[in-house]
Amino acid sequence: MNPVLQLAVLLLLSLVNRVGGIAPSGGYCINNQCFAVFRDPSDFSRARNECRDQEGHLMTVRSSVAHDVLSVLLGNFKGSFWIGLHRPLRCPDSVARLRGYEWVTKDDESDFSNWLPDFNMNCSSLRCVSVSPELDFRWSQKPCQDQAAGFLCEYTSVGMCQSQEGSPGETVMYTTPYGFVVRDLPSAPPGSTALRMPSETKYLCYAEMWQPAPWNCEIEEGGCEYKCTESPNKTPSCYCPPGKTLNPANKVTCEQQLVGDPCLALSCEQICYMNGDSYSCTCDRGFQLAEDGRSCVDFNDCNDPRQCPGENSVCVNKPGGFECVCKAGYSTRNGQCVDVNECASGPCEHECHNTHGSYKCSCYDGYRVDPKSANKCKLFCGKEECPAECDPNNKFQCYCPDGYVAEERGGSTVCIDMDECSDGYCEQRCINTLGSYACFCSLGYVLVDGYKCVESDDDSSEGTLAPDTPSTVSVPYPDPTRQPSGVPPGGLVGIIIFTAVFIVLVVFLADRAIRRRAKTTNSIALKAEEGEDHG
């Protein structure tokens, strides 16, 4: 299979096994159409949705050929089955072939009709249609909400393959992508496989041609009984587990090894396959053969730009393969990476604006985005004064932006810009800004912590301005710093300690003096009393 055909066959992956949920009980294909019968009790609405989910629609019986298919599909069943004919909200039309009914394809074109003789022309007559073997597949009016025994789906395809000619004593079994397996099919849709028995040779339908197995390994393991791999020349090849060998006739099935295993001597790490008349080592998909001819090493599948071609999709290499994932801010929907609306989860405090792969927060008037948290808002004035933000239920509960103070004025509250520089928030020099301030240092000093000035070792260094711009600076307020005196910090500490010791010493001496004086006074008084007694 040439490379162009290989790439085209990969497109069949969207067809193979696309039917999910309810499995059909039988099917039939003719010309460019396939029909499937589902024995699942359903009302009309559910039956219509099931066919639609499987990329088809309820069966339209527009011709005698389609009518004959009904006997093929329902010949062994009992009960009524929905077909794709119903009447919109209007009265029946006795002149029209479909009598005012229309197909689920939204048209009323038909070369065939098969109504029961007792058709009800009343405007309130039943609006949906079913068929049954018991009524010779005549069209019967039925309540749409009733449960029928099942329903019939119809699919249209292009590039159908004609049935294969079977040799004497040989049968052909077809497996379609619509989920049914049938023998002696007049035509088969793309993605169907044909199994010829008893030879067990397999074929894949693509572009009106039957491709013999092994075909591309990405589709049902290339038709191999065990596993499929690509030989060094990129040709699909089947291989078997240890102890079994590939059937040389059909090249897909495995047979018991009757003689010594020729792969044992090769010691292949992963795969030993038949290479002409001999055996060789190769590797599973996603690996390549190492220089020693038997070991396998992973290669980066993502180096191929054809991997993960979808917009906003990223290829992630994995051992032996790769995975397509969506970029941040995108999620998978119907096989495509689509933008996620992050705003639906309310990540912003005020307003949220969804963008491709992300979102952006904004704030109401009088607020701005908090520099410390991009999804929150903080009060902002931008002028020397502005009205305060007050609680509507409590006019005395008002708030001002950082760097502003509240002032009551004429029954209302306004926010006035603080002059932080007047309170000595900077160690050397200060520039007041709206809602904040900026510190800077003199020549020979550098700014530290936004407000300190530290002497620089570089005598040529210029005064340093606070790193934030005056309009956005928001430095944590330190304790007010007064202009530095001529006493260095170490000397100031010494003075404080000396003063404290001095005060303690003065108190101690004063206490001693008071005690001594009191003792002397008491002694004099005692002697005076003794003299009076002697007199």
Side-chain angles (χ1 to χ4, degrees):
M1 192 181 299
N2 61 63
V4 175
L5 190 56
Q6 279 186 321
L7 184 60
V9 170
L10 286 175
L11 298 177
L12 294 177
L13 284 172
S14 62
L15 291 174
V16 176
N17 296 325
R18 70 180 178 181
V19 175
I22 306 171
S25 300
Y28 193 76
C29 296
I30 187 169
N31 298 326
N32 68 332
Q33 291 178 311
C34 289
F35 307 93
V37 56
F38 294 84
R39 296 182 65 188
D40 182 65
S42 309
D43 59 25
F44 183 86
S45 177
R46 180 172 179 270
R48 179 176 53 189
N49 292 336
E50 287 288 347
C51 291
R52 185 183 301 162
D53 292 344
Q54 296 171 11
E55 301 182 30
H57 56 76
L58 282 171
M59 182 177 177
T60 61
V61 190
R62 302 171 186 263
S63 65
S64 58
V65 174
H67 173 75
D68 292 340
V69 171
L70 291 177
S71 61
V72 175
L73 295 176
L74 302 178
N76 298 323
F77 301 146
K78 293 182 178 180
S80 60
F81 291 78
W82 294 116
I83 61 173
L85 191 62
H86 68 126
R87 179 170 56 85
L89 293 175
R90 60 176 179 236
C91 294
D93 184 350
S94 60
V95 178
R97 180 182 291 273
L98 296 184
R99 301 187 181 180
Y101 285 69
E102 66 178 30
W103 302 112
V104 289
T105 52
K106 304 295 183 182
D107 67 273
D108 56 5
E109 296 181 3
S110 186
D111 297 329
F112 178 83
S113 64
N114 196 25
W115 294 104
L116 283 171
D118 59 348
F119 183 87
N120 187 346
M121 292 295 300
N122 194 295
C123 291
S124 60
S125 62
L126 307 178
R127 296 176 46 236
C128 292
V129 177
S130 66
V131 295
S132 67
E134 292 84 356
L135 296 176
D136 196 24
F137 310 113
R138 304 293 293 271
W139 297 357
S140 174
Q141 294 166 295
K142 188 177 180 68
C144 299
Q145 68 272 17
D146 275 11
Q147 296 280 313
F151 54 92
L152 298 130
C153 291
E154 176 182 333
Y155 313 93
T156 301
S157 298
V158 294
M160 304 276 282
C161 294
Q162 297 303 311
S163 62
Q164 294 199 8
E165 293 289 339
S167 302
E170 189 177 41
T171 60
V172 184
M173 189 68 69
Y174 299 93
T175 302
T176 70
Y178 304 118
F180 58 85
V181 180
V182 64
R183 183 182 297 176
D184 301 328
L185 203 62
S187 60
S192 297
T193 59
L195 174 64
R196 302 176 73 94
M197 296 296 289
S199 64
E200 295 188 81
T201 54
K202 286 185 178 181
Y203 299 84
L204 173 72
C205 174
Y206 168 72
E208 303 181 11
M209 296 177 60
W210 289 104
Q211 306 293 332
W215 51 76
N216 191 287
C217 293
E218 297 290 340
I219 302 177
E220 294 186 340
E221 283 292 340
C224 301
E225 179 183 340
Y226 182 59
K227 287 186 179 179
C228 178
T229 188
E230 286 188 351
S231 62
N233 61 0
K234 303 300 181 182
T235 302
S237 177
C238 298
Y239 67 96
C240 298
K244 290 191 176 183
T245 184
L246 195 67
N247 186 320
N250 59 40
K251 299 180 180 179
V252 295
T253 60
C254 296
E255 299 178 344
Q256 195 68 35
Q257 189 75 42
L258 299 178
V259 295
D261 190 348
C263 292
L264 290 177
L266 294 177
S267 300
C268 301
E269 181 180 351
Q270 290 187 354
I271 300 171
C272 176
Y273 76 106
M274 183 181 292
N275 185 11
D277 296 331
S278 61
Y279 289 83
S280 301
C281 295
T282 188
C283 302
D284 280 326
R285 282 169 285 168
F287 293 87
Q288 60 187 6
L289 202 62
E291 294 182 359
D292 61 10
R294 67 176 189 82
S295 302
C296 296
V297 294
D298 178 55
F299 68 88
N300 190 351
D301 300 84
C302 295
N303 289 333
D304 186 347
R306 294 173 298 179
Q307 311 288 26
C308 307
E311 189 177 3
N312 304 314
S313 180
V314 178
C315 180
V316 178
N317 186 61
K318 292 189 173 183
F322 66 95
E323 181 181 4
C324 294
V325 298
C326 294
K327 296 178 181 178
Y330 294 85
S331 64
T332 304
R333 187 184 304 163
N334 297 327
Q336 301 293 326
C337 291
V338 297
D339 177 55
V340 174
N341 184 8
E342 293 89 353
C343 293
S345 62
C348 301
E349 187 175 20
H350 284 185
E351 295 180 324
C352 180
H353 309 277
N354 189 56
T355 62
H356 290 294
S358 187
Y359 67 98
K360 184 178 181 180
C361 296
S362 63
C363 302
Y364 301 142
D365 291 341
Y367 292 82
R368 67 174 178 178
V369 175
D370 189 341
K372 297 180 181 179
S373 182
N375 65 330
K376 294 185 177 180
C377 296
K378 59 184 299 185
L379 285 169
F380 176 71
C381 179
K383 299 180 292 186
E384 289 189 2
E385 64 176 58
C386 55
E389 186 76 15
C390 297
D391 188 335
N393 299 315
N394 184 358
K395 65 178 182 178
F396 300 106
Q397 189 73 31
C398 297
Y399 305 91
C400 287
D402 292 342
Y404 287 79
V405 292
E407 178 181 290
E408 294 186 8
R409 184 184 299 170
S412 62
T413 304
V414 297
C415 298
I416 302 175
D417 176 51
M418 293 173 55
D419 183 6
E420 292 88 353
C421 295
S422 63
D423 292 329
Y425 284 111
C426 298
E427 197 168 58
Q428 288 190 1
R429 300 183 182 182
C430 179
I431 296 178
N432 186 58
T433 63
L434 297 176
S436 189
Y437 65 99
C439 300
F440 66 102
C441 302
S442 302
L443 182 66
Y445 289 83
V446 293
L447 192 68
V448 177
D449 296 334
Y451 70 97
K452 297 179 183 178
C453 290
V454 178
E455 190 173 1
S456 173
D457 295 334
D458 184 2
D459 294 335
S460 62
S461 64
E462 298 181 355
T464 308
L465 188 67
D468 294 309
T469 60
S471 61
T472 60
V473 66
S474 181
V475 180
Y477 295 154
D479 291 333
T481 304
R482 303 305 174 191
Q483 295 295 329
S485 67
V487 181
L492 181 60
V493 172
I495 292 174
I496 293 173
I497 294 174
F498 175 80
T499 302
V501 173
F502 177 78
I503 293 172
V504 171
L505 181 60
V506 169
V507 171
F508 174 76
L509 294 175
D511 180 75
R512 291 288 302 271
I514 292 171
R515 289 175 180 272
R516 187 178 297 153
R517 183 175 180 180
K519 185 176 181 180
T520 303
T521 302
N522 292 336
S523 177
I524 294 172
L526 183 59
K527 289 180 178 181
E529 290 177 359
E530 290 177 353
E532 290 177 356
D533 293 337
H534 289 298

